[in-house]
Amino acid sequence: MKNKQLVSLLLTGAMAVSLAACGGQQTVTNNPDSTAAQSSTGETSAEEASAKPTAPQGQLVIGTTTQMNNDFYDTSFSNNATNYKTYDLIHGYNTVVSDTEGAWVFDPTVVASHEETENEDGTKTYTVTINDGLTWSDGTPITAKDYVFELLLESSPEMNGVDGYPSQAGYPLVGYQEYFDGQTDNFAGVHLVDDMTYSVTVRAEELPYHYDITYATAVPRPMHVIAPDCDVVDAPEGATITGDFTTDLLLKTINDPTTGYRYAPKVTCGPYLFDSFDVASAQCTLSVNPSYVGDYRGVKPTIEKIIIKTVKSDTMINELKSGSVDLLFQCSGADTINAGLDLVDAGEAQDNTFFRNGYGKIQFDCSQFPTDSANVRKAIAYCLDRNEFARQYSGGYAAVVHSYYGMAQWEYQESKDWIDQNLNTYEKNLDEAKALLEEDGWTLNADGTPYSGTGVRYKDVNGELKPLIIEWCNTDGNPVSDLLATMLPEAMNEVGMQLNPTTTDFPTMLAGIDHTGDKIYNMYNLATGFALASSPWYYYSTDPVWMQGGYNSNWIADDELAAAAEAMKSIPYEDNDAWLAAWQNFIKVWNEKLPDVPLYSDEYYDFFSNKLHDWKATSVWEWSRAVLDAWVDA
């Protein structure tokens, strides 16, 4: 068996979502037998390598099809994929990070020492000491208090009062529930040991855990900015925040739309500093942080300025050609890829490619009628020829997937034959769709008579006749939306379903998914990238605590699915065989419940200007990480 390569966005929990369900495998190398295929025309020659600057220089304009929103705190406020990668650039010095191979490691740039202790009561304590010399961008020293402050802040009822922030940072730790419920001001499982050392104690019921090293992680937050005049002190009962620490304070320091840390994080410790965000153009500007001492390898950025701008899929290659953008990452669809490869062939651009760790999808809201019914969800799947969809959209650059997996995952590579034998492929079959709907009770006309075979079906729900109408939210200028609009409505109408499309922008669609917007829909089309610590036991949990913050974004409460996911949680990280067996069972149950209709997984393409050098993004080392090694001509 191959060594496990956990592939994904580096998220502490929630999955990131993006606008385009991306395509991207070269026709001549369309070989899914490789777990992490990567190639690049941007190899650096010895002459180029010697020219790499020793000080930051130049500007890189990055184009993204996923429209950014004005939110720069963390994924609990917004799991927009482009925003998340921007968090990755602005914030830094996590104690536990992923390396270039996708493995979790303690960051030696940040951590001076660490130890773990198995306690007699079944709990486990991690003790972490921070290196001296780390500072915030305003010169303020970073100490263990900033890490303890983050754990207390982001587990607190006070923070929960800021736009419903889920306050889950310390969920697995001893005393979390009492602290979150406001029963005590002390968090029993968190201690400030000394100025540079903190400890966390994990509840026995949260052990063993597949990604147990992640329990030791913490992220510094600038207490002097977010909670001025407050302090972190320790006691035998646990650490606490003293001073005037209230929701009202946080609504000012974090949530003020002009000066709040969520919207204008001016004191940070990542490789780049937040300069500005223009709401009208959805454009973000970052500049290099001179105080940053490096990532886990000690690598510091050599690109002085980064601009992240929204581009349209039908014009973005033209922007690259004209020089109005320098980098297009994770490109999708045959039209875009072929146009980009034409630029490469002409010597006007370079490319980099790797398998995708995620999939494009139709995502259902399983809390909404009628998509709360698995039969309705399956009937919709049977209305779509997914093979033809993938062919038309990707031009042969994608593979159809049938459950919760992507082409970059080692589990998929090990399970191809098993998948072919065990998963329902939901080939287009309108008769099967009709049978599922009849089984589900959709057997009436609008007047209550038996269904005539044409028009919208109705169902008697507690004495009320309800129509089989599916509200679909999609985004403007998205070729996936356009193709679905040509392939789904007629077939759905033929089986007795009415599809009502609403086209909007990406942030508005995310608000619908998160149940924070003006309207909730039955289905959405978008894409997902798996977290490094991919945690389906949270994503499909029936516990209300995970029905927020971008975790269970399908809002599905299915005990069988939750149990299949939960069975993976305690498997030791090194036990690949047990993990694979549990993973296969999980994706089989998922395939039967169908909270999404998976459309495809594929190979990503980055296209970039000849002025950019040493570009080496992969499925586990994404663009926000790769930018630290890259450089541009002056």
Side-chain angles (χ1 to χ4, degrees), residues 30-267:
N30 192 2
N31 177 15
D33 291 331
S34 168
T35 58
Q38 182 187 3
S39 64
S40 176
T41 61
E43 296 180 359
T44 304
S45 67
E47 182 179 351
E48 286 176 321
S50 65
K52 184 173 183 177
T54 57
Q57 68 176 30
Q59 171 181 288
L60 182 69
V61 180
I62 301 173
T64 173
T65 57
T66 301
Q67 181 183 339
M68 296 184 73
N69 54 34
N70 187 24
D71 210 321
F72 302 99
Y73 192 85
D74 69 11
T75 57
S76 291
F77 278 131
S78 173
N79 64 341
N80 176 309
T82 304
N83 278 79
Y84 171 70
K85 294 291 99 180
T86 307
Y87 313 150
D88 211 22
L89 291 167
I90 297 170
H91 305 294
Y93 295 153
N94 299 36
T95 53
V96 177
V97 298
S98 65
D99 65 15
T100 57
E101 300 300 318
W104 289 105
V105 296
F106 283 95
D107 184 343
T109 300
V110 176
V111 176
S113 66
H114 58 88
E115 63 180 49
E116 58 183 76
T117 303
E118 303 276 355
N119 302 314
E120 292 183 0
D121 60 359
T123 62
K124 180 187 284 189
T125 299
Y126 294 89
T127 303
V128 180
T129 299
I130 306 304
N131 282 318
D132 288 323
L134 305 177
T135 67
W136 293 103
S137 57
D138 66 356
T140 303
I142 294 174
T143 70
K145 283 189 177 184
D146 295 300
Y147 290 87
V148 172
F149 174 68
E150 179 260 341
L151 290 168
L152 298 178
L153 167 71
E154 294 172 13
S155 303
S156 70
E158 289 83 1
M159 187 65 171
N160 184 238
V162 180
D163 282 357
Y165 186 89
S167 292
Q168 298 161 326
Y171 179 81
L173 305 181
V174 170
Y176 166 80
Q177 199 62 52
E178 294 82 0
Y179 180 74
F180 175 75
D181 289 343
Q183 299 174 23
T184 175
D185 292 332
N186 297 84
F187 196 153
V190 180
H191 282 279
L192 178 65
V193 178
D194 59 40
D195 286 348
M196 303 305 292
T197 305
Y198 72 86
S199 72
V200 294
T201 300
V202 182
R203 291 181 283 141
E205 56 267 34
E206 292 295 323
L207 296 165
Y209 182 52
H210 188 67
Y211 307 109
D212 58 356
I213 188 177
T214 63
Y215 283 150
T217 192
V219 182
R221 296 291 189 202
M223 181 171 60
H224 65 290
V225 173
I226 294 174
D229 302 323
C230 293
D231 197 6
V232 168
V233 299
D234 198 60
E237 299 80 20
T240 186
I241 300 173
T242 62
D244 187 24
F245 180 69
T246 64
T247 294
D248 285 343
L249 170 68
L250 301 179
L251 287 171
K252 178 176 177 57
T253 61
I254 291 178
N255 227 42
D256 184 283
T258 302
T259 61
Y261 197 75
R262 176 179 175 183
Y263 305 109
K266 291 296 187 179
V267 178

Side-chain angles (χ1 to χ4, degrees), residues 36 58 60 106 122 146 221 378 383 400 436 441 509 570:
L60 182 69
F106 283 95
D146 295 300
R221 296 291 189 202
K378 292 177 183 180
C383 288
V400 175
L436 285 166
M509 184 173 73
S570 62

Side-chain angles (χ1 to χ4, degrees), residues 309-531:
K309 60 177 286 187
T310 303
V311 295
K312 295 293 186 181
S313 59
D314 57 348
T315 59
M316 62 187 187
I317 295 298
N318 289 335
E319 290 204 51
L320 179 62
K321 181 180 175 66
S322 70
S324 62
V325 298
D326 304 311
L327 168 65
L328 300 170
F329 63 90
Q330 300 176 354
C331 292
S332 61
D335 291 344
T336 297
I337 292 169
N338 290 332
L341 291 175
D342 287 344
L343 282 187
V344 174
D345 289 343
E348 298 180 75
Q350 305 171 74
D351 74 325
N352 176 61
T353 182
F354 49 91
F355 284 150
R356 181 193 183 106
N357 182 46
Y359 59 94
K361 61 179 179 175
I362 295 172
Q363 176 171 312
F364 294 116
D365 190 316
C366 302
S367 71
Q368 301 297 299
F369 182 86
T371 46
D372 56 347
S373 166
N375 275 24
V376 171
R377 302 193 297 267
K378 292 177 183 180
I380 294 172
Y382 278 120
C383 288
L384 180 65
D385 186 336
R386 294 185 300 134
N387 289 300
E388 179 61 17
F389 178 92
R391 187 194 68 79
Q392 289 193 35
Y393 172 66
S394 73
Y397 289 91
V400 175
V401 295
H402 309 300
S403 188
Y404 183 84
Y405 60 87
M407 290 176 66
Q409 289 183 283
W410 74 269
E411 297 96 331
Y412 162 71
Q413 299 295 333
E414 295 284 346
S415 302
K416 291 178 183 178
D417 291 341
W418 182 92
I419 286 171
D420 290 341
Q421 297 166 10
N422 289 275
L423 297 189
N424 186 344
T425 59
Y426 292 97
E427 302 290 338
K428 185 177 180 180
N429 188 328
L430 300 189
D431 289 336
E432 184 64 26
K434 292 174 184 178
L436 285 166
L437 295 175
E438 290 171 3
E439 179 184 304
D440 204 46
W442 298 96
T443 58
L444 302 174
N445 292 315
D447 60 3
T449 59
Y451 183 60
S452 63
T454 60
V456 177
R457 293 175 181 267
Y458 282 74
K459 179 179 182 177
D460 187 328
V461 181
N462 299 322
E464 179 184 356
L465 283 179
K466 291 191 174 183
L468 186 46
I469 296 175
I470 305 298
E471 299 291 342
W472 168 35
C473 183
N474 59 77
T475 49
D476 183 45
N478 185 343
V480 172
S481 303
D482 295 342
L483 188 53
L484 287 173
T486 67
M487 296 183 70
L488 264 181
E490 183 177 348
M492 290 178 67
N493 181 67
E494 186 172 338
V495 303
M497 288 189 276
Q498 179 178 317
L499 182 62
N500 289 346
T502 298
T503 301
T504 185
D505 58 28
F506 192 65
T508 301
M509 184 173 73
L510 282 185
I513 292 172
D514 294 339
H515 290 194
T516 59
D518 295 333
K519 182 174 181 178
I520 302 171
Y521 299 82
N522 294 111
M523 73 182 216
Y524 310 82
N525 63 277
L526 67 163
T528 187
F530 298 145

